[in-house]
Amino acid sequence: MSASRQRLCIGVLLITSLLAALTCTSPSANVANRSVAPVVVVVNVPAIIGRTPKEVEAVTGKAKERTKITNEPDQMPGEFRDYEIKGAKLGLTLYGMMVRYYRKRAVHITIDMPEHVDTAEAVLKMAGIDVQGAQPRVVAPLATRWTGTFNGVDFKDVAAAKMGSDKSLFSTVQATLAP
């Protein structure tokens, strides 16, 4: 693995950890349940999480880059694959979407969206995830997080993050499959 690729993977893991740390507050009991206009699904995460690389690539196209995980025993055998999302406003990924595979299954997906939106629910819908008004487990200035079953998939964590330059709009989705 190249030094720059290692730095990127470490950086993404650090940012993911930082987002988790920043969102370790209890959600407000008064979270507004705003109605959101229909959005275009950029990537249907529930359709690809838990799938093999071959199944994922039948939906997304071939990966632009592949990086084997060689220095994290608890994530091995595993790899990262980076996929292109046309027009993505890059924040955490190289090309718009990064998928972490563990034992040949997609277990974590990060997507930088082409459009930034004003609600966590709207950016999740762009990833095909509908939390259906569920109360988030965490609400913080830079991220909102849920745990639960959405669109028939049991998620350990679903996060909507503000990764744009001014941190005012939701731009990135991270989803982790429950074990």
Side-chain angles (χ1 to χ4, degrees), residues 26-39:
S26 299
S28 165
N30 298 326
V31 174
N33 187 7
R34 296 186 251 179
S35 61
V36 179
V39 294

Side-chain angles (χ1 to χ4, degrees), residues 20-78:
L22 287 172
T23 59
C24 285
T25 59
S26 299
S28 165
N30 298 326
V31 174
N33 187 7
R34 296 186 251 179
S35 61
V36 179
V39 294
V40 174
V41 175
V42 175
V43 175
N44 188 348
V45 169
I48 62 174
I49 200 159
R51 305 289 186 218
T52 66
K54 184 177 181 178
E55 292 169 319
V56 170
E57 291 182 1
V59 174
T60 64
K62 289 191 65 96
K64 301 285 271 176
E65 285 194 37
R66 292 172 59 174
T67 305
K68 280 206 174 286
I69 298 171
T70 59
N71 56 353
E72 296 290 329
D74 61 327
Q75 295 181 22
M76 294 166 47

Side-chain angles (χ1 to χ4, degrees), residues 138-158:
V138 175
V139 176
L142 295 179
T144 304
R145 308 181 90 84
W146 289 261
T147 297
T149 302
F150 308 111
N151 303 88
V153 177
D154 191 19
F155 289 99
K156 176 181 177 183
D157 183 58
V158 172

